[in-house]
Amino acid sequence: MSSTVASPMSAAASSSSGRGMGKSTSFTPELQSMMFSLGDARRPLHESAILVEDIVHTQLINLLQQAAEVSQLRGARVISAEDLLFLMRKDKKKLRRLLKYMFFRDYKSKIVKGIEEDDLIEDKFSSNNTNKRQKLAQDFLNSIDQTGELLAMFEDDEIDDVKQERMERAERQTRMMDSVQYAEFCESRQLSFSKKASKFRDWLDCSSMEIKPNAVAMEILAYLAYETVAQLVDLALLVKQDMTPKAGDPFSHAISATFIQYHNSTEPHLLGQAAGVKTGLESPENTPPPTPTPPAPAGQQHLGKTPSGALGNGGIGQDSSKSKQRKRKKILDIRCERGLCTLKPQGK
């Protein structure tokens, strides 16, 4: 690729890295409301919104750079919808979602102009009165489609599982809301990057680009930015769901290493106490001394029985033969002193 496109886009990329230091344009408040409408908490963390903003901004800058290169290859002076459609041609699901969005944008434009709803449905696939954005996309995809798969998306009414899941999640989210909370939720659902076009253009620093995107391309970029936010929230909710233990799940004990590390760092004092108790119980220094053994009665000594406590901490078979002999000699001496000795030396 030529360096003609790389220079303005590299300047845009550098402005992206220094956006937090010198650039005042920020979508953090709007992103917090968008995240709430997509299933996040009512007041998402400011740090989370900043992280999402950085990710979305980086993705769009990279997409603009690739679109500028495609635009230069076909000899155009601006980044148009064709360049973005060409980059998305291999992702059928996202491309189908984008085509539906472009159709509804034209649908909304015609409603604003006062066209009847019946005429809109009839003219959806009309060749004479096709929607402007849809006709643009259809003509371009027809020029690059060799198998018919791309053009088939215009007549495909397949249900979008991702969109369906988001709608169901929004319905569950609003079940326990009161009127004030629901009104706030509705306002958050209406937010988008396209409603603040000038701020969005400044956020992407389009003025520093040599090849700038036109109006339709900016609409597509705003839509892709919102979809990126929605995808990030979807993934975050999936991670949260995976980290929540489920009753009766045989794999609930298989927790990820990241969760274990986070759990250990959040409760160091509890783990320290548990480790200290366990170590203290197993330490030789804290082992209780053996129970003292009282002197054995004479009857038991005569019968040659040894109390179980006399073995102390040692096991059976640990006493040597010398220790046994000493014990027998000591017993005989005690008995002789008490006058109970019946043994007499030989020869007397």
Side-chain angles (χ1 to χ4, degrees), residues 220-294:
I220 296 177
L221 289 172
Y223 166 77
L224 294 177
Y226 186 85
E227 280 294 310
T228 305
V229 177
Q231 189 173 4
L232 290 174
V233 175
D234 293 341
L235 294 175
L237 293 176
L238 283 177
V239 172
K240 181 181 179 180
Q241 180 180 354
D242 292 341
M243 292 175 63
T244 303
K246 299 179 181 178
D249 186 4
F251 299 100
S252 60
H253 65 280
I255 307 175
S256 62
T258 305
F259 174 74
I260 295 175
Q261 182 179 2
Y262 172 78
H263 184 71
N264 293 345
S265 62
T266 53
E267 298 182 357
H269 58 285
L270 297 179
L271 296 179
Q273 291 177 0
V277 171
K278 185 176 180 181
T279 306
L281 291 177
E282 296 179 354
S283 175
E285 298 177 357
N286 296 326
T287 304
T291 305
T293 305

Side-chain angles (χ1 to χ4, degrees), residues 26 133 216 245 282 336:
S26 175
R133 297 173 182 82
V216 180
E282 296 179 354
C336 290

Side-chain angles (χ1 to χ4, degrees), residues 138-155:
Q138 190 171 6
D139 292 343
F140 175 73
L141 293 179
N142 187 30
S143 64
I144 64 173
D145 189 14
Q146 299 179 353
T147 61
E149 295 179 355
L150 299 179
L151 290 177
M153 295 182 184
F154 290 94
E155 300 179 0

